[in-house]
């Protein structure tokens, strides 16, 4: 109850039964990247199943210029008076356009690159004084949150959709995917084109062990 976000989402605080939240993400999918931001959409879908919660999702294009260009549209869409109890931004740079939307409480979930990349980390750190609830998707990542915000950080993990990911026998899974039944395989669960994911290490391991390497990349959900 001491957490600003927790206080904001208790309807009794505002004398009504509906909590309104806006989720902003800079991970808009496109035909070439159908899986981009799926975990944010999964989280929003789960929140929408909670009685008394109304969640609107706004997905923005990636890149600083695109985020800057989104500001006028956000201002036009949401005006000046607080319409949302919570505005929750995903990824550090998204905190900046999120400031264009009036809110009672602001939350920011950091996902990794926003704390690891030197330039992005600087921009993320500069936004943290304007954020009521700084958060990270894991406890380890929360330790990397810079400055005074680290002392009030929370862990807000992106959960797993258990209707999509569920126990299945290896034989059935391989048959469905058209993979060889007895051959050992390695899976790289990220886009090889992103150097920070270190696909080169997976390649080295596959080469040393003589094992076939598969990569998810931008597989549709």
């Amino acid at each position: 109850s001491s957490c600003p976000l927790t206080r904001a989402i208790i309807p009794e605080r505002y004398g009504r039964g509906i909590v309104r939240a806006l989720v902003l993400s800079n991970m808009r999918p496109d035909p070439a990247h159908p899986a981009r931001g799926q975990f944010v959409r999964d989280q929003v879908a789960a929140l929408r199943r909670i009685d008394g919660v109304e969640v609107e999702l706004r997905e923005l294009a990636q890149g600083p210029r695109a985020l800057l260009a989104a500001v006028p549209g956000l201002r036009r869409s949401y005006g000046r008076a607080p319409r949302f109890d919570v505005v929750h931004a995903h990824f550090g740079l998204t905190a900046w356009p999120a400031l264009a939307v009036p809110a009672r409480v602001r939350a920011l979930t950091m996902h990794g690159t926003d704390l690891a990349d030197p330039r992005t980390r600087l921009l993320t750190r500069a936004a943290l004084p304007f954020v009521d609830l700084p958060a990270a998707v894991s406890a380890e990542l929360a330790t990397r949150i810079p400055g005074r915000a680290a002392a009030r950080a929370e862990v807000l993990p992106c959960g797993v959709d258990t209707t999509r990911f569920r126990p299945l026998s290896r034989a059935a899974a391989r048959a469905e995917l058209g993979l060889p039944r007895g051959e050992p395989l390695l899976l790289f669960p990220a886009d090889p084109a992103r150097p920070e994911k270190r696909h080169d290490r997976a390649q080295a391991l596959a080469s040393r062990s003589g094992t076939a390497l598969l990569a998810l990349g931008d597989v549709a959900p």
Side-chain angles (χ1 to χ4, degrees):
S1 62
S2 62
C3 165
L5 183 58
T6 304
R7 291 199 300 271
I9 63 175
I10 297 176
E12 288 76 11
R13 288 279 178 174
Y14 304 118
R16 55 184 173 80
I18 300 295
V19 177
R20 293 184 174 89
L22 173 67
V23 175
L24 283 175
S25 162
N26 73 330
M27 292 170 272
R28 179 193 296 166
D30 57 40
H33 307 89
R36 180 187 290 156
Q38 181 63 46
F39 46 87
V40 176
R41 293 188 290 279
D42 286 345
Q43 188 180 79
V44 168
L47 289 170
R48 285 173 173 165
R49 291 194 289 268
I50 300 174
D51 290 338
V53 177
E54 293 181 358
V55 185
E56 184 173 335
L57 173 63
R58 188 83 172 246
E59 293 180 296
L60 309 176
Q62 291 191 321
R65 291 184 179 180
L67 293 177
L68 184 62
V71 171
L74 291 171
R75 286 177 175 164
R76 287 193 300 269
S77 296
Y78 303 113
R80 298 187 179 184
R83 171 174 156 187
F84 298 103
D85 299 311
V86 180
V87 170
H88 183 183
H90 279 269
F91 193 72
L93 296 183
T94 315
W96 289 105
L99 294 176
V101 182
R104 300 179 188 275
V105 170
R106 300 184 183 280
L108 170 65
T109 294
M110 289 157 271
H111 288 265
T113 307
D114 40 10
L115 296 174
D117 179 82
R119 290 184 296 179
T120 307
R121 179 182 171 88
L122 283 175
L123 291 170
T124 299
R125 180 170 187 161
L128 290 175
F130 306 103
V131 174
D132 298 294
L133 178 64
V137 292
S138 70
E140 190 278 331
L141 195 60
T143 64
R144 304 187 194 182
I145 295 177
R148 296 179 180 179
R152 50 192 178 88
E154 301 282 344
V155 176
L156 298 178
C158 291
V160 174
D161 183 348
T162 54
T163 62
R164 183 180 299 125
F165 297 98
R166 63 194 185 281
L168 191 67
S169 75
R170 179 177 297 182
R174 290 197 176 205
E176 186 172 335
L177 295 172
L179 298 174
R181 296 189 60 177
E183 181 183 337
L185 301 169
L186 287 174
L187 175 65
F188 182 73
D191 184 354
R194 297 180 61 186
E196 71 274 15
K197 297 298 185 180
R198 299 308 304 267
H199 184 248
D200 58 318
R201 291 185 176 180
Q203 286 180 311
L205 177 60
S207 177
R208 290 196 194 104
S209 62
T211 306
L213 176 65
L214 305 177
L216 283 182
D218 286 305
V219 175

